[in-house]
Amino acid sequence: MFHSLTGALAACLLPNIVSAIGLHEAAVAAGLEFFGSATDNGELTDLPYLAQLSNTSDFGQITPGNSQKWDSTEPSQGTFSFTRGDVIADLAEDNGQLLRCHTLVWHQQLPSWVTSGSWTSATLTAALQNHITNVVTHYKGRCIHWDVVNEALNEDGTYRTNIFYTTIGESYIPIAFAAAAAADPDVKLYYNDYNLEYGGAKAAAARAIVQLIQNAGVKVDGVGFQAHFGVGTVPSRSSLTSVLKSFTALGVEVAYTEADVRIQLPTSATTLAQQATDFRNLVGSCVDTDGCVGFTIWDWTDKYSWVPSTFPGYGAPLPWDENFVKKPAYDGLLAGLGVTVPSPTTTTTATVTSTTSTTTSTSTGAPRWGQCGGNGWTGPTVCSSPWTCTYVNDWYSQCL
């Protein structure tokens, strides 16, 4: 149903988003396996949105944003529901797109029977294994990856306090990977987290998680870098590449799994150009890293981004705006994938890169748009002149 409908819609409703080469095509040409997008069930009733999501020139892979999480798949103990996840899995299959499956163990979006249960290590381990076995078995053969454990770390590299860690200990992680591997031996199993891109204590702890799983004799195939950034806070392409390679050196692959680059509203030509540079560096670092297999944005249009509800005053984090019109970020991604983009975009982006580099090199604090605070933040807490460290939320302050 989706396949025949979206083909017609793409031709008649979305002439502005058809290009000579799309993001997925460029990614494959650059040696990656896919460029993809997350999505959610409610958005699929928006037919122009659905048509572009199904445009395999841009998107060769789909990730269900919420419909495979624990509260959706096992809302009460032992009772499983896969209806919402199946809709997205079926859509990907109809379109000939790959499916990244997300996520089996996370401290959020847990049903109350998990968070409020009276558990021992043995009983929670059994519940964890049962959940993973049922969910992974249901989707066996359909997923290329599973994000098995999501966001197990604090910013300082310590383990995040959650029901699994406090009841079972760090062994809940290899236990989860073992259950997933037993349920589907062929799917690739990932640890997934944010802010690993900066290196430092959190990235070191994530590498230790990989080794913890490996030392337990359990399969782990990859690490997902979520890549949620504020504009201007993305490390350099070479720095990003160095961090990615520190993981592939452990014998696992890597991927960018949830990328977006939020902007303080309203946007301007300057912030949109910087966003294009940020996306170019992100995807370019994947191209530069043997073992970086793909790049996924966390939805493709600003219309359905999670950012405004989480970061008040911020938005516009994706390569298409709310009206489904491509932004400079789209060309930034193509450029990072090795595609020659039109000269006006290239010139603007190059100019912004030069300006940003100059500002950063002559300042003593964090640059404009740089992160300067937040829960667990260990980087600079003052900004270069004339910018001020501005509180956004408990997790993020930015030089504005």
Side-chain angles (χ1 to χ4, degrees), residues 159 170 173-174 177 191 203-223 246-252:
Y159 281 109
E170 68 176 11
I173 298 175
F177 275 80
Y191 175 73
R207 289 191 293 270
I209 283 177
V210 172
Q211 293 173 312
L212 171 72
I213 300 165
Q214 292 172 331
N215 291 339
V218 176
K219 171 177 128 101
V220 53
D221 298 289
V223 175
S246 73
F247 283 83
T248 58
L250 299 178
V252 295

Side-chain angles (χ1 to χ4, degrees), residues 13 54 93 102 134 142 149 166 168 193 201 214 228 261 334 348 379 383 393:
L13 293 176
S54 301
E93 186 173 311
H102 174 84
N134 277 273
R142 306 191 73 180
V149 175
T166 57
I168 303 171
D193 215 328
Q214 292 172 331
H228 295 300
V261 181
L334 285 177
T348 301
C383 302
N393 58 37

Side-chain angles (χ1 to χ4, degrees), residues 213-361:
I213 300 165
Q214 292 172 331
N215 291 339
V218 176
K219 171 177 128 101
V220 53
D221 298 289
V223 175
F225 289 68
Q226 292 183 13
H228 295 300
F229 287 101
V231 71
T233 69
V234 176
S236 68
R237 179 166 172 167
S238 60
S239 176
L240 290 163
T241 302
S242 177
V243 174
L244 292 176
K245 288 181 176 180
S246 73
F247 283 83
T248 58
L250 299 178
V252 295
E253 64 186 36
V254 292
Y256 287 111
T257 56
E258 305 184 15
D260 50 31
V261 181
R262 60 188 175 272
I263 297 174
Q264 186 178 31
L265 302 175
T267 62
S268 67
T270 301
T271 55
L272 290 171
Q274 181 63 47
Q275 184 185 57
T277 298
D278 290 341
F279 270 116
R280 185 186 68 199
N281 287 337
L282 280 167
V283 76
S285 69
C286 189
V287 173
D288 294 343
T289 304
D290 289 339
C292 187
V293 299
F295 195 96
T296 304
I297 49 179
W298 206 239
D299 226 316
W300 60 268
T301 166
D302 296 340
K303 182 176 181 179
Y304 294 116
S305 171
W306 70 295
V307 165
S309 63
T310 306
F311 297 93
Y314 287 75
L318 295 165
W320 283 261
D321 70 14
E322 293 184 353
N323 297 312
F324 305 160
V325 176
K326 292 174 183 174
K327 294 153 60 180
Y330 186 93
D331 282 349
L333 286 163
L334 285 177
L337 292 166
V339 177
T340 301
V341 297
S343 56
T345 303
T346 304
T347 301
T348 301
T349 302
T351 301
V352 171
T353 302
S354 175
T355 301
T356 303
S357 298
T358 301
T359 300
T360 303
S361 64

Side-chain angles (χ1 to χ4, degrees), residues 22-150:
L23 295 171
H24 175 65
E25 292 171 332
V28 171
L32 308 187
E33 294 178 10
F34 60 82
F35 190 102
S37 174
T39 192
D40 224 334
N41 294 69
E43 302 159 15
L44 302 180
T45 60
D46 182 337
L47 297 184
Y49 168 90
L50 177 60
Q52 171 56 18
L53 178 68
S54 301
N55 174 6
T56 55
S57 173
D58 279 319
F59 305 126
Q61 173 266 318
I62 295 179
T63 302
N66 289 289
S67 58
Q68 291 178 321
K69 291 174 179 172
W70 201 313
D71 60 349
S72 179
T73 54
E74 193 182 3
S76 59
Q77 188 169 11
T79 300
F80 291 87
S81 175
F82 301 109
T83 303
R84 294 173 66 244
D86 286 353
V87 168
I88 295 174
D90 290 346
L91 173 63
E93 186 173 311
D94 289 346
N95 291 337
Q97 294 164 311
L98 303 172
L99 182 71
R100 283 201 86 253
C101 291
H102 174 84
T103 178
L104 295 169
V105 186
W106 189 33
H107 65 282
Q108 294 189 33
Q109 291 180 238
L110 290 170
S112 59
W113 70 265
V114 177
T115 56
S116 303
S118 297
W119 302 106
T120 65
S121 177
T123 58
L124 185 57
T125 295
L128 176 69
Q129 291 170 323
N130 186 63
H131 175 79
I132 292 171
T133 299
N134 277 273
V135 176
V136 175
T137 298
H138 179 81
Y139 289 103
K140 184 177 182 179
R142 306 191 73 180
C143 310
I144 58 165
H145 303 162
W146 261 112
D147 289 331
V148 179
V149 175
N150 196 51

